[in-house]
Amino acid sequence: MYKMRLLALLLVTVTHTHANYPALQAVLSQNGLRKVSHWMTDWLQSKLSTIKLPDVRGDVDIKIGTIHYLLYDMSVQRCDLPEPSVAFSEGTGVALQVDGLSIAINGLWKTHFGLIHDSGWFSLAVYNVNLSAVLELDNNDGCLSILTPVCSADVGYVQANFHGGGSFFFQPFVEMFSSKITDKIREKICPAFKKGIEDVDGHLAAMSDAINMDPYVFMNISLTDSPIVMDSALRLNITGEFYSKNFSSEPPFSPSPFQLPWQNKYMLSVGMSEFCINSASYAYLKSGVLKILIKDDMIPKTFPLHLNTSQFGFLIPQLPKLYPNLTMQTLLYASETPLFSFTETAANFHLLSAAKFTAIKSDAEVPLFRLDMDCSFSAKAYIDKQLLKGFLVMKNLTVTLGSSDIGDFSITPIKNTLTLALTKVVLPKVNAQLKDGLPLPFVKGFILRNSVMNIENGFVTIGTDIDLLH
């Protein structure tokens, strides 16, 4: 199941379009294709032993008459499945070649020859099955489509042994049976293979066109155009836009074109534009989750300043005179969409926010004042030993008095206090954590290896290999 999920993850994606420019791009390299093929071979090897084969019926002319036969209740006892040769077929899809597949099958047989009816069991060995096919990849209303325009198959030879009943009578004619059975198997290989591809295509078409990220937002991952098949890679251009589940509107900005650089040594390369991340910020803003109510009991007791009107006296002299020794609380929220931008040297973050301060008096809230804040940060980020590491610095902090119910007061002491708290307390803790590193996101059942991250103008890229978790 995990392998099928990864195959879908690498090949499929999702409807809702803001523009034709993709905000996400993914490139599966030839190395990635080979690895997926290896996983699929292991998966098929394990599944083949559980497959019930369709009945085979026919007749053989033995010169003195015709033997009618039925082979049924067949199951695979052993399968030697060599790893397929797979390669991208430029402009089309994937070329698949399987050589030397061998299968051992047990089943039951029935025959009738004139008035003679007989039955028993048999063992059948099918040697050197070869399959050649081309999988054509296309875009079907934003979902990946897979077709099989080319398929050919051949069977080397079949060795059959009949047991039970009067099989000793029919065993001399096994070569005739084998030739007929070989033809029947050859006829069924490509239709069975195409049916399997049709099932995969139907599964892809039935998949949801969005990924639920959490209770608040979902991500549209529909294809913006047809898959781009190169001679050594497959590129998928993906919408990559986030939406609020409660307020599904377009953000006031649009995606810009970008070209994902990739290297064949990595299985998978992913590029994420500023628009992708900023649409997530907009979706969370519209979902109403970019806010927090800060109460005094949330502040460590050792912290020098607490949410109390008397303690705020050195910042706002009139506050303790108007409301002495009252507990305060602060509603901190983003007033506009937090925006990210990328340059070749850093990731930048710009946040416009506000903080509404109220005092608690007889279980009622008394409005005090609102601060408007404009702050920006810059970060260096990289991946080291599968951990996201970096360093964050504050570039700017502007604080203004948005409104006041207690009269005018100077903002300078508050700005100085906030700057001191951010630079001496908050940022050092954040940077200590970034120095140790944060774990990368993962897909259940898989682990990332050899990952690297690069920040480019307008987008960020990740190149990675992927392994199964055992």
Side-chain angles (χ1 to χ4, degrees):
M1 179 59 71
Y2 289 153
K3 296 162 187 170
M4 292 303 291
R5 284 178 185 169
L6 181 66
L7 182 62
L9 180 66
L10 294 176
L11 293 181
V12 79
T13 26
V14 247
T15 58
H16 235 89
T17 50
H18 186 288
N20 291 328
Y21 295 133
L24 274 178
Q25 293 183 23
V27 172
L28 180 68
S29 70
Q30 183 67 43
N31 283 343
L33 181 64
R34 280 194 290 265
K35 193 71 175 227
V36 172
S37 172
H38 175 74
W39 290 334
M40 292 305 299
T41 301
D42 291 345
W43 180 79
L44 285 172
Q45 186 89 36
S46 65
K47 291 296 180 183
L48 277 173
S49 61
T50 66
I51 290 177
K52 290 292 183 181
L53 301 175
D55 296 347
V56 176
R57 63 178 69 241
D59 52 71
V60 178
D61 184 357
I62 60 172
K63 307 303 182 185
I64 60 172
T66 300
I67 298 177
H68 304 280
Y69 65 89
L70 170 65
L71 307 181
Y72 67 101
D73 199 20
M74 294 185 289
S75 60
V76 176
Q77 302 301 305
R78 179 178 173 181
C79 174
D80 294 325
L81 177 61
E83 191 158 319
S85 169
V86 289
F88 290 111
S89 177
E90 188 168 1
T92 303
V94 176
L96 172 71
Q97 181 73 40
V98 179
D99 293 319
L101 167 65
S102 298
I103 307 175
I105 300 169
N106 284 352
L108 303 177
W109 60 268
K110 290 180 181 179
T111 60
H112 70 269
F113 175 59
L115 298 176
I116 302 174
H117 292 258
D118 214 342
S119 62
W121 65 277
F122 70 92
S123 59
L124 184 70
V126 184
Y127 295 100
N128 294 331
V129 177
N130 301 323
L131 171 69
S132 178
V134 174
L135 304 181
E136 185 178 285
L137 305 178
D138 206 348
N139 175 17
N140 181 17
D141 292 331
C143 295
L144 186 70
S145 163
I146 306 179
L147 303 174
T148 316
V150 177
C151 181
S152 62
D154 193 20
V155 178
Y157 65 99
V158 172
Q159 180 179 326
N161 288 292
F162 291 84
H163 308 273
S167 59
F168 65 90
F169 175 77
F170 298 105
Q171 195 65 42
F173 307 106
V174 162
E175 285 190 12
M176 297 182 185
F177 275 98
S178 297
S179 175
K180 290 288 184 179
I181 294 169
T182 298
D183 291 341
K184 291 288 184 181
I185 292 175
R186 183 185 298 109
E187 291 172 7
K188 290 179 179 292
I189 290 175
C190 278
F193 179 77
K194 289 185 177 182
K195 178 60 169 60
I197 296 301
E198 288 175 5
D199 291 344
V200 172
D201 187 61
H203 177 70
L204 296 177
M207 291 181 67
S208 171
D209 63 354
I211 296 177
N212 287 317
M213 308 303 294
D214 54 37
Y216 310 106
V217 304
F218 66 91
M219 183 186 187
N220 171 18
I221 53 170
S222 60
L223 298 177
T224 61
D225 51 25
S226 296
I228 301 170
V229 185
M230 299 165 275
D231 61 354
S232 60
L234 165 67
R235 183 192 298 272
L236 298 179
N237 292 327
I238 303 163
T239 300
E241 183 174 355
F242 288 82
Y243 290 89
S244 167
K245 292 183 179 180
N246 299 324
F247 194 87
S248 185
S249 65
E250 300 290 351
F253 42 82
S254 300
S256 299
F258 74 98
Q259 189 70 24
L260 170 65
W262 61 277
Q263 297 183 49
N264 195 49
K265 66 179 181 180
Y266 297 110
M267 289 176 55
L268 181 67
S269 298
V270 177
M272 182 181 299
S273 73
E274 295 170 349
F275 176 83
C276 176
I277 299 174
N278 289 332
S279 72
S281 295
Y282 179 79
Y284 280 112
L285 180 71
K286 290 301 180 180
S287 296
V289 297
L290 298 185
K291 59 184 178 182
I292 181 173
L293 182 63
I294 303 173
K295 297 184 177 182
D296 187 62
D297 58 9
M298 298 166 62
I299 300 175
K301 293 182 179 180
T302 56
F303 199 73
L305 181 63
H306 278 255
L307 289 174
N308 181 281
T309 54
S310 295
Q311 287 202 30
F312 263 66
F314 81 97
L315 298 173
I316 309 171
Q318 71 266 40
L319 182 57
K321 296 176 184 178
L322 294 170
Y323 302 104
N325 201 32
L326 290 183
T327 300
M328 301 165 60
Q329 62 184 23
T330 303
L331 178 63
L332 180 63
Y333 60 94
S335 51
E336 292 187 19
T337 304
L339 294 177
F340 291 82
S341 63
F342 301 116
T343 67
E344 289 187 359
T345 56
N348 303 294
F349 176 64
H350 183 212
L351 173 64
L352 293 173
S353 61
K356 288 183 178 179
F357 288 80
T358 56
I360 307 300
K361 184 179 182 181
S362 301
D363 294 328
E365 293 184 18
V366 179
L368 299 175
F369 58 92
R370 187 191 82 233
L371 298 179
D372 292 333
M373 294 169 286
D374 184 342
C375 53
S376 59
F377 300 87
S378 180
K380 301 282 188 179
Y382 59 95
I383 294 175
D384 179 37
K385 298 178 181 178
Q386 298 307 119
L387 293 172
L388 179 62
K389 298 183 178 182
F391 187 79
L392 182 66
V393 297
M394 186 173 69
K395 296 169 61 178
N396 176 68
L397 174 62
T398 301
V399 182
T400 57
L401 183 61
S403 64
S404 176
D405 291 275
I406 58 174
D408 290 336
F409 55 89
S410 174
I411 293 298
T412 302
I414 294 179
K415 178 183 178 181
N416 292 338
T417 301
L418 284 174
T419 301
L420 185 66
L422 285 170
T423 57
K424 300 300 182 183
V425 179
V426 177
L427 285 178
K429 288 185 177 180
V430 171
N431 284 325
Q433 182 66 65
L434 288 175
K435 183 177 180 181
D436 293 336
L438 301 171
L440 295 175
F442 66 94
V443 179
K444 186 177 180 181
F446 301 92
I447 186 171
L448 303 182
R449 289 191 307 104
N450 306 324
S451 304
V452 296
M453 183 176 73
N454 291 306
I455 299 175
E456 310 282 350
N457 283 322
F459 62 98
V460 61
T461 70
I462 293 178
T464 188
D465 294 327
I466 305 175
D467 272 340
L468 293 175
L469 273 177
H470 299 289

